[in-house]
Amino acid sequence: MTESLEKRLEKAMAELQAAQEAVARTERELRSASFSVLSSDRAVRATAGPQGELTGIEFLENKYRDMSPQELAASVLEAASAARLKMNRHVMKAMAPFAEPSSNVPELKGFELDWERIFGPEVLREDDVDTARGPAAPAWRDALGDEGED
């Protein structure tokens, strides 16, 4: 025997209310989230806020004093980009359950989010580790010559 329309509607409304409460909790958590990342040369720490905005830059242990302007800029960009990427992945992971189909109400199919379009293609890539070669060299390093100049 199939469920009555009233029972199915009641289940759908309960699931909708639970989803609304979960979205509100997730939004509150995301509003206060931030991620900090250290550059590979350990000279700079960058922090990205809840919308991927740069909220902090720290120059560590006076290493910047011995760096060329190009090297320092590259370190800042590397750390800032990595912090932003971490935040974007966090948002993606936090919001993904709300796009999934309902297990209790089969009529609620969920929806697809184009994370690549929202955050850019790097958000869907695996972490920069190639199992055969180990950690990948930061892409910004390719733009610098051996002397730290472009």
Side-chain angles (χ1 to χ4, degrees):
M1 184 172 151
T2 61
E3 277 185 299
S4 71
L5 182 58
E6 283 182 15
K7 285 284 187 191
R8 289 175 43 201
L9 185 56
E10 189 178 304
K11 275 186 177 180
M13 291 302 292
E15 187 160 333
L16 176 61
Q17 183 175 357
Q20 288 172 327
E21 291 168 2
V23 166
R25 277 192 311 275
T26 302
E27 285 177 346
R28 281 192 303 274
E29 185 273 325
L30 289 175
R31 274 196 296 271
S32 64
S34 68
F35 285 92
S36 294
V37 175
L38 196 59
S39 62
S40 60
D41 59 12
R42 307 182 68 72
V44 176
R45 178 181 298 121
T47 303
Q51 295 179 333
E53 75 279 14
L54 191 59
T55 60
I57 292 283
E58 295 176 68
F59 300 103
L60 305 172
E61 301 174 14
N62 292 322
K63 291 180 179 182
Y64 69 93
R65 294 178 187 263
D66 298 325
M67 298 172 81
S68 72
Q70 293 86 359
E71 288 173 320
L72 180 57
S75 290
V76 168
L77 288 174
E78 175 198 6
S81 294
R84 183 174 170 261
L85 179 60
K86 249 184 146 168
M87 177 55 73
N88 291 347
R89 287 180 174 162
H90 179 70
V91 168
M92 187 173 81
K93 185 176 180 182
M95 297 305 288
F98 304 116
E100 294 174 359
S102 168
S103 58
N104 294 331
V105 183
E107 293 83 4
L108 299 177
K109 303 284 186 209
F111 55 92
E112 280 190 43
L113 291 169
D114 188 349
W115 296 114
E116 184 174 349
R117 196 170 124 236
I118 294 169
F119 293 126
E122 65 276 355
V123 78
L124 298 177
R125 291 189 191 129
E126 295 294 320
D127 288 332
D128 294 326
V129 175
D130 181 333
T131 54
R133 295 183 299 161
W140 59 265
R141 294 271 186 210
D142 296 338
L144 297 176
D146 290 338
E147 304 301 316
E149 297 180 13
D150 55 307

